[in-house]
Amino acid sequence: MICLIGPNGCGKSTLLRTLAGLQKPLAGDLFLGDLSLSTLSPSERSKHLAVVLTDKVDIANFTVGNIVALGRHPYTNWLGQLTAEDHFLMDQSLDQVHLSAYKDRLLGELSDGELQRAMIARALVQDTPIILLDEPTAHLDLPNRVEVMMLLRELAKQTHKSILLSTHELDLALQTSDLIWLMSAQKGVVVGAPEDLIIQGELQQVFANPSYTFSDATGAFCLKHQTTLFSVSVVASGTGNCTIWTRRALERNGFSIVDNAACSIFVDEEKKTWKVSFQGKTIIQSSISQLLQTLYQQATSSK
């Protein structure tokens, strides 16, 4: 499984559509092994490459079975008749994307996630060694984005196909892909395992931005919050997840966390309480929301 990632406008969709033969190369030629794709007819090319585009498919009165059957078009006769083998492969592909019970369901009755899985089943039944997908998670909510990315990784392993997809889901791409094609206007395409590109600093360079930073330790993008919103610096101590999320809440709201300050916060992980000490006073709060309200009041009164 290969994920093609890069900033908006760098040419990801153009590259993918060129590889699929949907538009002519700006220069040069494309080879699949020893085959020049420019010499192949659309019918011949469709036996080597299957394509799933971003555009949502909305065909009235079409069922899931109908759309999946289109994937067998390169192998049918001029009447488009489906053989027993075609039906077997269709059922197999629907099972692989967990849509066996949806074969007779109309496309209009599907959720966006189910529709995307139906389009992946159509690509699978086309029986090609390579599947190209352009932004397969573009119209999906978070659970469905995760499900589709995990499904594609699973299919690559099970079917031994090469799956290349363009995506803006950077966190998911780093967690699911075997290889990353990192595209930028400066370097073109840099190829490597996700971990190698992180260690080499390639991701950090391509996605450098004053508003966020890429964490080498977690592999996640972190916003750079303004830390001068208030004149209040705080000490935040404690252990466990409560302390981690407390510090994140403080940074998100513009408080500067230091080692020594007039205002200190102790997080009791077991009791889920926050003890705030400042100006000789001690206040115990039972939530981060209450803690922030206390700090807002202190910051306002100190101005």
Side-chain angles (χ1 to χ4, degrees):
M1 178 165 161
I2 304 169
C3 287
L4 171 62
I5 63 175
N8 280 334
C10 70
K12 295 187 298 296
S13 292
T14 300
L15 174 60
L16 207 64
R17 293 176 66 88
T18 303
L19 294 177
L22 300 178
Q23 61 189 66
K24 293 182 178 180
L26 298 176
D29 200 354
L30 289 166
F31 286 88
L32 181 60
D34 295 328
L35 291 173
S36 170
L37 292 184
S38 62
T39 65
L40 299 179
S41 67
S43 178
E44 292 172 323
R45 188 165 59 239
S46 65
K47 294 180 181 179
H48 296 281
L49 299 169
V51 183
V52 179
L53 299 177
T54 310
D55 304 331
K56 292 179 67 174
V57 175
D58 186 12
I59 308 175
N61 301 321
F62 241 52
T63 66
V64 171
N66 294 148
I67 201 70
V68 173
L70 291 178
R72 296 304 299 163
H73 175 71
Y75 308 95
T76 58
N77 58 27
W78 65 278
L79 291 175
Q81 293 176 328
L82 297 173
T83 66
E85 181 184 5
D86 293 326
H87 284 289
F88 171 78
L89 292 173
M90 288 168 55
D91 290 340
Q92 183 183 63
S93 68
L94 286 170
D95 181 61
Q96 287 173 322
V97 301
H98 317 303
L99 283 181
S100 294
Y102 291 70
K103 186 175 181 178
D104 298 321
R105 189 79 61 88
L106 292 173
L107 296 185
E109 298 174 354
L110 303 181
S111 68
D112 286 343
E114 292 164 348
L115 180 59
Q116 190 62 283
R117 281 190 281 146
M119 299 308 297
I120 293 171
R122 179 200 56 74
L124 281 172
V125 82
Q126 198 172 323
D127 197 22
T128 60
I130 298 174
I131 299 177
L132 307 178
L133 303 99
D134 187 18
E135 293 286 348
T137 60
H139 305 292
L140 307 181
D141 59 13
L142 179 59
N144 279 298
R145 292 201 301 269
V146 173
E147 183 177 357
V148 165
M149 293 292 281
M150 292 297 291
L151 172 64
L152 291 172
R153 177 173 176 79
E154 178 185 345
L155 290 172
K157 302 303 179 186
Q158 289 181 349
T159 65
H160 304 290
K161 296 180 184 293
S162 295
I163 297 179
L164 169 62
L165 63 105
S166 64
T167 182
H168 287 292
E169 304 291 343
L170 301 180
D171 289 347
L172 288 176
L174 294 177
Q175 294 183 67
T176 57
S177 62
D178 296 300
L179 283 177
I180 292 287
W181 287 10
L182 179 61
M183 192 173 190
S184 67
Q186 295 75 27
K187 291 190 175 182
V189 178
V190 177
V191 179
E195 296 78 10
D196 283 331
L197 295 183
I198 293 172
I199 292 172
Q200 295 162 7
E202 296 288 354
L203 278 162
Q204 296 88 320
Q205 291 179 28
V206 170
F207 292 103
N209 190 286
S211 299
Y212 57 80
T213 184
F214 182 82
S215 170
D216 298 353
T218 64
F221 289 86
C222 306
L223 298 181
K224 294 180 180 178
H225 295 291
Q226 182 182 0
T227 58
T228 57
L229 185 59
F230 300 110
S231 59
V232 177
S233 296
V234 298
V235 178
S237 60
T239 59
N241 288 335
C242 280
T243 303
I244 294 172
W245 287 104
T246 298
R247 295 176 69 91
R248 285 189 56 166
L250 293 170
E251 291 170 347
R252 173 171 55 85
N253 285 276
F255 291 96
S256 178
I257 301 174
V258 297
D259 294 329
N260 186 19
C263 178
S264 65
I265 302 164
F266 176 75
V267 184
D268 190 320
E269 176 80 14
E270 183 177 350
K271 295 180 180 179
K272 298 294 188 294
T273 58
W274 288 258
K275 182 168 72 174
V276 187
S277 301
F278 61 95
Q279 297 178 352
K281 302 177 183 177
T282 297
I283 299 174
I284 297 179
Q285 303 290 18
S286 59
S287 70
I288 291 178
S289 178
Q290 292 179 357
L291 167 67
L292 292 173
Q293 187 62 39
T294 297
L295 295 176
Y296 287 148
Q297 292 172 353
Q298 181 193 0
T300 302
S301 63
S302 63
K303 285 187 177 181

